Amino acid sequence: MAIYARTPDLELPPHQSAFFWGARGTGKTTLLRRRFPRSARFDLLDTRLMLELTRAPWTLSERIQALEPAQRNQPILIDEIQKVPSILDEVHRLNDEDGLGFVLCGSSARKLRRGGANLLGGRALRFDLHPLTWPEIPDFDLLRALNRGLLPAHYDSPSAGEALAAYVDDYLREEVFEEGLTRNAPGFARFFDALSFCHGRMVNHSDVARECGVTSKTVKEYFRILADTLVGVLVEPFGRRGSRAVITKAPKFYLFDVGVAGHLIGRRIARPAGEDFGRALEHFILMEILAYRAYSGRDFPVRYWRTRSGVECDFVLGTDGATAVEVVGGGRVGRRELKGVRSFADEHAPLQAFVVCNDSEPRRTEDGIWILPWELFLEGLWGGEVV
């Protein structure tokens, strides 16, 4: 498998601790091993170690005391911290009393928060790892990314379809059950199947509830679970008081990886054209925006805009809607493709407005809307020129 230079540098001051979050398969362990090659590592996917620390959390301190001084001077790595939240008290004490630094790695903070776990008094830094991004991949292949997804093992795999199927069945479906986050396993299984028609669309909780045989309240909780376990993201609608009312307060839901979404939908994109390509390109651009937001340390809102008449702008970035982004997968962009972003610009006057597409050359309309090939848009995004 190829080795990628990942964007997060995980730079830590001496004795500083940090949480490092990311969905399983994004490459957290690989990055930590590469970044901290001399650090001691405790992997809570090791069942014996997990059971030992669950029964007797204080043995973590005993194990650390037995380390060589050189290892104690390095950040101590704990993988899958959500498996044993009780050891966070020991981590906190060792950090305060002995000045030891930790990197606490996991795929969900939900179980920690729900159980009232010690989150180190808010003093730990936070880092996030997303699937691979465009600037991290030499010779980036768009169709390969949209079909295989951007988890490192999937993007490189010659049998990506089988790898995606195993990932969904062995990890995604079980992750929530393992953590004990939902009691109604059949209802959640039906909900998971329903994600194929929810992904990338406004969430109608009532429709999904009927499909799954559960209440709307339960469906809302299921979506929150997926967001908290980093399996998906909810994009809220943009609106200002006094503007044309948005059609709904419902968020749009996107899975965390374009390949995982494609597997659930049963999508295979043969060429860069058509409705499926357009939806996948929209999802890919959103994932790049979210990764840029995390890695740049700029916590700007990412929302969408839709009017009562159904006119929509895919993404609105910034607190006051400073940047509008529409993603178009078809051929040459014309008036119809400009309608959503132009309507948003007419009402909210963003500082910048873009249509991201598969055209070969950039253009700019008379009213200031940039029509950019997706590569040029991503150059601007990662160069800090979009938002």
Side-chain angles (χ1 to χ4, degrees), residues 24 42-48 50 79-80 83 178:
R24 197 170 299 172
F42 299 92
D43 184 1
L44 300 182
L45 287 178
D46 180 332
T47 303
R48 287 188 178 181
M50 185 268 290
D79 256 346
E80 302 298 334
K83 298 284 185 183
E178 278 184 6

Side-chain angles (χ1 to χ4, degrees), residues 232-293:
V233 60
L234 292 166
V235 178
E236 300 292 338
F238 175 89
R240 283 182 185 158
R241 186 175 299 173
S243 67
R244 280 183 284 176
V246 294
I247 192 171
T248 179
K249 293 183 179 180
K252 293 174 79 171
F253 176 78
Y254 294 85
L255 287 154
F256 80 105
D257 175 66
V258 66
V260 170
H263 174 77
L264 286 173
I265 295 168
R267 179 179 66 204
R268 176 69 188 175
I269 302 169
R271 60 192 184 91
E275 183 178 352
D276 282 348
F277 172 73
R279 289 189 178 278
L281 182 64
E282 174 189 324
H283 184 193
F284 166 64
I285 293 297
L286 172 63
M287 295 300 101
E288 292 287 312
I289 291 169
L290 295 176
Y292 170 74
R293 180 177 69 175

Side-chain angles (χ1 to χ4, degrees), residues 305 311-314 324 326 335-346:
W305 181 78
V311 177
E312 184 173 317
C313 180
D314 288 330
E326 180 74 12
R335 265 184 207 198
R336 184 170 63 87
E337 291 78 18
L338 286 163
K339 183 177 180 181
V341 70
R342 183 165 277 157
S343 296
F344 180 84
D346 287 346

